[in-house]
Amino acid sequence: MPPVSVTHFTDPGCPWAWSASPAIAALQWRYGDQLAWRHVMIGLTEHGSQYVERGYTPLKAARGYARFRRFGMPFATAPKDHVAGTSRGCRVIVAARLQAPEREYAVFRALQFMQFCSTGTLDTDSDLLAAVRDVPGVDAEALIAAIDSPAVLEAYEADRAEARSAEGGATHAQGKTAASDGPVRYTAPSLIFATGDGVRLEAGGFQSLQVYDAMLANLDTTLERRDPPLDVGEVLAAFPDGLVTAEVAEVYASGPAQETDRAVLEDRLIELAAEGRATRLGVGDDALWLPGVSERSDARGAGGRFQTIS
């Protein structure tokens, strides 16, 4: 049993959750299997009409994505053809948890890429299928077929209930919760770190890597903290599903300021691609970097996964 469990409240339709991806990648690099991750889908909206009633439009969403670029993750700002709810996308992820639990996070990531780097929508089954079709280790058609199954609906409703149990807790006290559909819920991405003896710390909503790192240092001083890598290729080998430039940079973050020169790092990634040790896939206004063909076992799956992203 890993010394620390992490409950990750999130939703594939939340740009704040997407923007926290660099910090999550850095935690995965630093602490590895000492952290046991559990992903809980919030289910921000059951239907797009809930967003429309709040004044959301495809144009407003596209403009909003442009403002999130300051956090470094890729975005495509072409307006979608309608405002979508997130429920069906969340249930694809829950289906992956039930059918191929070791690939749940990969499916979650694939839907995030679709949501933020393409015009695909989380309530359109053909778009959901296209997004997960080439994720290695899953049966994409089976995932989509299970969206409305009793088992998936039951697990999804359990996630929604857990996500709406934040009232009176630390995240609520910090003002990082929401009550958009009634109960006080965790916002995405909220992380709860807990030890086996019941000690827990909440990092509600969007936080920095420094916050997470400080919490873990105070929670368990025996955790082994992996040093920043010596070579970019070492990072890509550790993340065979790929990382975008900002995520690679955050893995390298070190020193008192916990910063990395992203431009220098991107230049090294370009060199790695020229050497055949990395594969660059354009996504949004950036790139997904994968291990070179000779260094990964499923080049077709990795290369074809995001063909719908532009």
Side-chain angles (χ1 to χ4, degrees):
M1 181 72 177
V4 177
S5 66
V6 187
T7 301
H8 175 210
F9 292 99
T10 191
D11 190 288
C14 179
W16 289 106
W18 177 237
S19 298
S21 299
I24 290 175
L27 289 179
Q28 291 170 336
W29 170 268
R30 292 180 179 185
Y31 299 103
D33 59 11
Q34 297 173 98
L35 304 181
W37 291 81
R38 187 170 67 92
H39 310 291
V40 179
M41 297 300 113
I42 294 172
L44 290 172
T45 50
E46 295 303 293
H47 306 285
S49 60
Q50 294 171 264
Y51 282 134
V52 173
E53 290 168 1
R54 300 173 200 166
Y56 284 82
T57 66
L59 175 60
K60 184 175 182 180
R63 285 174 169 164
Y65 287 172
R67 291 193 290 273
F68 275 92
R69 284 174 169 160
R70 67 190 187 276
F71 298 113
M73 291 298 287
F75 284 90
T77 53
K80 299 177 188 287
D81 64 11
H82 68 278
V83 178
T86 70
S87 175
R88 294 190 76 76
C90 287
R91 282 183 272 154
V92 172
I93 297 159
V94 171
R97 182 192 310 160
L98 299 179
Q99 295 182 17
E102 72 285 356
R103 302 304 290 154
E104 178 188 5
Y105 192 64
V107 169
F108 171 69
R109 290 264 293 175
L111 294 187
Q112 285 185 305
F113 274 105
M114 182 200 72
Q115 173 70 8
F116 301 112
C117 300
S118 83
T119 55
T121 58
L122 290 168
D123 63 353
T124 303
D125 287 4
S126 59
D127 289 342
L128 295 171
L129 178 61
V132 301
R133 178 176 283 126
D134 289 320
V135 176
V138 301
D139 182 336
E141 286 77 11
L143 295 184
I144 305 306
I147 289 175
D148 296 311
S149 69
V152 167
L153 287 170
E154 181 181 0
Y156 171 62
E157 290 301 330
D159 275 23
R160 291 186 77 252
E162 184 176 355
R164 286 157 177 78
S165 64
E167 187 167 8
T171 298
H172 194 193
Q174 195 184 6
K176 292 276 194 175
T177 56
S180 55
D181 54 8
V184 177
R185 64 166 174 80
Y186 290 99
T187 52
S190 291
L191 302 185
I192 298 179
F193 302 100
T195 60
D197 56 4
V199 179
R200 60 182 257 159
L201 296 174
E202 294 190 14
F206 184 82
Q207 303 278 1
S208 69
L209 173 60
Q210 292 93 321
V211 169
Y212 301 143
D213 212 37
M215 282 187 164
L216 287 168
N218 280 275
L219 194 62
D220 188 344
T221 58
T222 69
L223 290 175
E224 295 182 10
R225 190 172 181 275
R226 190 178 185 182
D227 291 334
L230 299 176
D231 179 72
V232 180
E234 186 182 357
V235 179
L236 299 186
F239 293 89
D241 289 311
L243 296 175
V244 302
T245 309
E247 292 173 318
V248 179
E250 194 81 324
V251 169
Y252 270 82
S254 62
Q258 295 280 287
E259 292 178 342
T260 302
D261 188 327
R262 173 172 167 164
V264 170
L265 191 61
E266 185 173 19
D267 186 69
R268 180 58 187 137
L269 284 164
I270 294 169
E271 286 183 359
L272 220 63
E275 296 167 2
R277 296 178 56 204
T279 299
R280 182 189 188 279
L281 298 180
V283 288
D285 55 349
D286 187 43
L288 177 73
W289 302 92
L290 295 143
V293 172
S294 63
E295 298 175 324
R296 65 176 189 261
S297 60
D298 189 352
R300 184 206 61 79
R305 204 174 318 156
F306 303 112
Q307 289 175 349
T308 60
I309 295 172
S310 61

